[in-house]
Amino acid sequence: MVFWQETPGFELEAENIQVLTDAKQYHAELLRLIKSAQTRIYITALYLQDDDAGREVLSALHEASCANPNLEVNVLVDFHRAQRGLIGEKQSDGNASLYCQALSDYQSNVRIYGVPVKAKELFGVLHLKGFVVDNMLLYSGASLNDVYLQKGEKYRLDRYFVINQHQLADSFCDFTNKYLISSEGVPRIDSRPLPKFNDIKLAQKKLMRELKKAKYDLSSARKREGLNVRAFLGFGRRTNKLNRLIKSLFDTTDETLVLYTPYFNFPAPLLRSLRRLLKQGKEVTIIVGDKTANDFYICPEQPFSRIGALPYLYETILQKFLKSQKRHISSGRLKVYLWKDGANSFHLKGISKDNHTHLLSGHNLNPRAWGLDIENGILIEDPQQDILPRLEEEKQTILANCRLLSGPDDIESLGDYPLPVKKLLGQAKRVKVDFIIKKFI
């Protein structure tokens, strides 16, 4: 028995899981759920942005609270990310200014909290996902802004699941209350004066120690054959159950493994497992975004910024992998698809093993997620493959904007890159800091 089966999951009926396939559906479903909320709304995301879509969602939350004063509304975002401007913009209070103004305007019961995972954003962020509305869980890797919700022309594609399972929803809310909202290290950031990190430093250290031992409550689950679901938490390196789950999914694959990741930079343990699977003759499919579909990509015609080198760095890692696995690509055991759709971006994550075990997660399958950020995921076991047709439909929708790579020559290499990128990546390699950078991306 694999370790995740030591604890049973929550019973799930196939009709109680819905798979959405685009950002507009995600946007409409989120607003519909907020408007229909009766008892509770818990939103956990990296950020809720001060833009048209973010303001629309925040207004909907306040309006729902004003219409129903008994409605519990809690929003949790990353502490540091909420109190800065966008990369490249002048220093500001960031999204927290919006939160303060909205609370002042509405005087509702909406509460917004900032979760400080590390002393600095560079070393780890709140990357937990999941929006609970009453007994429904809307789960996606997406945060809340114009491109994630496709408020305008552009979108950032993610995966979107609506799960109606009250025990699962309860476990998300119980975890949030027990470990986050109750902590003095998680202050409200919707009223002034805004808290500074030094004000909560000691409480934050205590919070981090507790989170490394934390887990979602599965005590009400009962052993059952058939479709079931449970949540996993991942934080830190030594006791990270989500990392252990991911590694186990790789290592217990019998026939096929499908991986979605926006950034091609697998942690070393997963890369070793991938190579072992391919040597054993297993089939592996990887769906990754083109460098131009990376949210850090800067068109060559625009002024260059160092952050714009990241998509090219990911592509060099991908090319190295393709070179090392040419024989498996030729045999058809390894399929690598590159997604691109105009100026839109790609943010999909997740794992499917042998068509019956599926991990929905915001985990990027990269070293940063593996060792720095706090992550979660939802494991669905589907022995009868009841939901497989919906997941296959989702996959085909994604593949419609993909091309299958036949080898390393199908993508650009360092010599093809714009001069500023070429210089920067060359310098990083010469002074041997490229391997350090890869641990943070």
Side-chain angles (χ1 to χ4, degrees):
M1 177 183 291
V2 289
F3 91 94
W4 72 77
Q5 294 174 330
E6 295 170 1
T7 304
F10 300 120
E11 182 178 349
L12 182 65
E13 300 298 330
E15 60 268 23
N16 286 336
I17 179 167
Q18 182 183 3
V19 183
L20 311 180
T21 56
D22 64 56
K24 286 189 174 180
Q25 291 178 22
Y26 167 58
H27 187 174
E29 183 65 11
L30 175 59
L31 293 178
R32 186 193 70 78
L33 287 171
I34 291 172
K35 190 173 182 179
S36 67
Q38 299 296 312
T39 59
R40 64 185 179 185
I41 300 175
Y42 280 62
I43 287 181
T44 306
L46 176 59
Y47 57 82
L48 190 161
Q49 189 71 32
D50 184 2
D51 59 13
D52 289 343
R55 289 189 290 271
E56 180 184 31
V57 171
L58 188 57
S59 295
L61 292 170
H62 281 288
E63 288 164 7
S65 176
C66 290
N68 178 5
N70 293 322
L71 181 66
E72 185 182 8
V73 184
N74 295 306
V75 179
L76 294 94
V77 294
D78 184 76
F79 177 88
H80 299 293
R81 177 67 174 79
Q83 296 188 71
R84 66 162 173 83
L86 296 174
I87 293 174
E89 292 187 356
K90 62 181 181 180
Q91 189 172 359
S92 71
D93 286 339
N95 299 322
S97 291
L98 169 66
Y99 310 156
C100 294
Q101 188 61 53
L103 184 61
S104 176
D105 290 345
Y106 284 97
Q107 295 293 307
S108 78
N109 292 325
V110 174
R111 296 177 176 87
I112 303 183
Y113 298 88
V115 182
V117 174
K118 299 289 176 64
K120 292 186 181 297
E121 188 180 350
L122 172 66
F123 301 115
V125 296
L126 176 77
H127 217 242
L128 302 179
K129 309 298 180 182
F131 306 161
V132 174
V133 181
D134 296 336
N135 291 326
M136 305 288 287
L137 176 64
L138 174 56
Y139 191 89
S140 173
S143 289
L144 299 167
N145 71 357
D146 284 345
V147 289
Y148 277 123
L149 295 168
Q150 198 174 353
K151 186 69 175 175
E153 291 295 318
K154 291 179 66 174
Y155 67 86
R156 183 170 297 151
L157 187 66
D158 212 291
R159 305 182 75 199
Y160 322 96
F161 302 88
V162 187
I163 304 172
N164 182 3
Q165 216 296 341
H166 73 91
Q167 293 165 303
L168 181 66
D170 286 347
S171 72
F172 268 69
C173 295
D174 292 344
F175 169 85
T176 304
N177 282 319
K178 180 178 179 181
Y179 292 102
L180 301 178
I181 292 177
S182 65
S183 171
E184 293 181 1
V186 180
R188 288 185 63 171
I189 53 172
D190 53 1
S191 60
R192 297 184 186 277
L194 291 171
K196 302 298 183 184
F197 181 77
N198 282 342
D199 300 333
I200 58 170
K201 185 187 295 186
L202 293 178
Q204 186 268 349
K205 287 182 178 179
K206 179 182 177 183
L207 171 66
M208 294 306 104
R209 289 195 297 270
E210 292 175 348
L211 285 175
K212 287 177 181 178
K213 298 180 288 185
K215 60 182 179 180
Y216 289 97
D217 184 5
L218 300 175
S219 60
S220 61
R222 297 291 178 265
K223 185 70 177 176
R224 169 186 181 265
E225 298 298 327
L227 187 62
N228 69 81
V229 60
R230 77 202 75 177
F232 285 82
L233 184 75
F235 185 48
R237 292 185 180 275
R238 294 183 181 178
T239 59
N240 192 312
K241 287 192 174 180
L242 181 59
N243 285 358
R244 186 181 172 196
L245 169 64
I246 292 169
K247 181 74 163 55
S248 184
L249 290 173
F250 278 53
D251 292 341
T252 59
T253 295
D254 292 319
E255 295 179 358
T256 62
L257 185 70
V258 178
L259 307 174
Y260 297 93
T261 182
Y263 315 116
F264 195 92
N265 186 24
F266 288 109
L270 296 187
L271 198 54
R272 287 194 292 269
S273 292
L274 269 183
R275 289 171 174 153
R276 186 162 54 248
L277 284 176
L278 291 167
K279 286 180 181 178
Q280 293 170 347
K282 313 294 172 62
E283 293 185 8
V284 176
T285 297
I286 303 172
I287 303 173
V288 65
D290 183 83
K291 67 174 177 290
T292 63
N294 188 297
D295 42 340
F296 293 114
Y297 179 74
I298 300 171
C299 293
E301 298 78 24
Q302 296 178 343
F304 179 72
S305 169
R306 288 188 174 190
I307 199 73
L310 282 180
Y312 296 90
L313 180 56
Y314 287 122
E315 188 174 57
T316 63
I317 298 169
L318 173 60
Q319 189 182 62
K320 183 178 179 181
F321 176 76
L322 294 173
K323 282 181 180 178
S324 69
Q325 303 300 320
K326 285 175 69 173
R327 64 190 179 97
H328 299 305
I329 295 172
S330 299
S331 71
R333 286 194 294 272
L334 173 63
K335 294 183 174 66
V336 180
Y337 291 93
L338 216 55
W339 185 97
K340 182 177 180 179
D341 182 21
N344 300 299
S345 50
F346 180 94
H347 199 246
L348 283 72
K349 304 100 181 279
I351 301 170
S352 287
K353 177 182 94 83
D354 296 325
N355 292 324
H356 58 62
T357 305
H358 312 283
L359 179 67
L360 322 178
S361 182
H363 198 296
N364 286 312
L365 301 181
N366 64 4
R368 182 177 182 87
W370 196 257
L372 299 178
D373 299 336
I374 183 168
E375 306 274 358
N376 64 2
I378 296 175
L379 184 71
I380 298 177
E381 291 182 284
D382 182 21
Q384 304 303 317
Q385 300 185 357
D386 293 327
I387 66 169
L388 184 61
R390 271 165 272 180
L391 294 175
E392 274 298 313
E393 181 182 354
E394 177 204 32
K395 181 181 172 184
Q396 293 307 314
T397 302
I398 296 163
L399 291 178
N401 288 310
C402 290
R403 62 186 175 100
L404 178 63
L405 301 180
S406 61
D409 294 337
D410 281 358
I411 58 176
E412 290 185 338
S413 60
L414 185 63
D416 303 310
Y417 295 161
L419 186 58
V421 176
K422 205 181 299 185
K423 282 184 175 179
L424 192 59
L425 294 185
Q427 289 170 355
K429 192 168 186 178
R430 279 195 301 276
V431 298
K432 299 182 179 180
V433 298
D434 54 332
F435 73 97
I436 297 175
I437 295 172
K438 290 172 187 177
K439 293 180 182 295
F440 289 91
I441 65 172

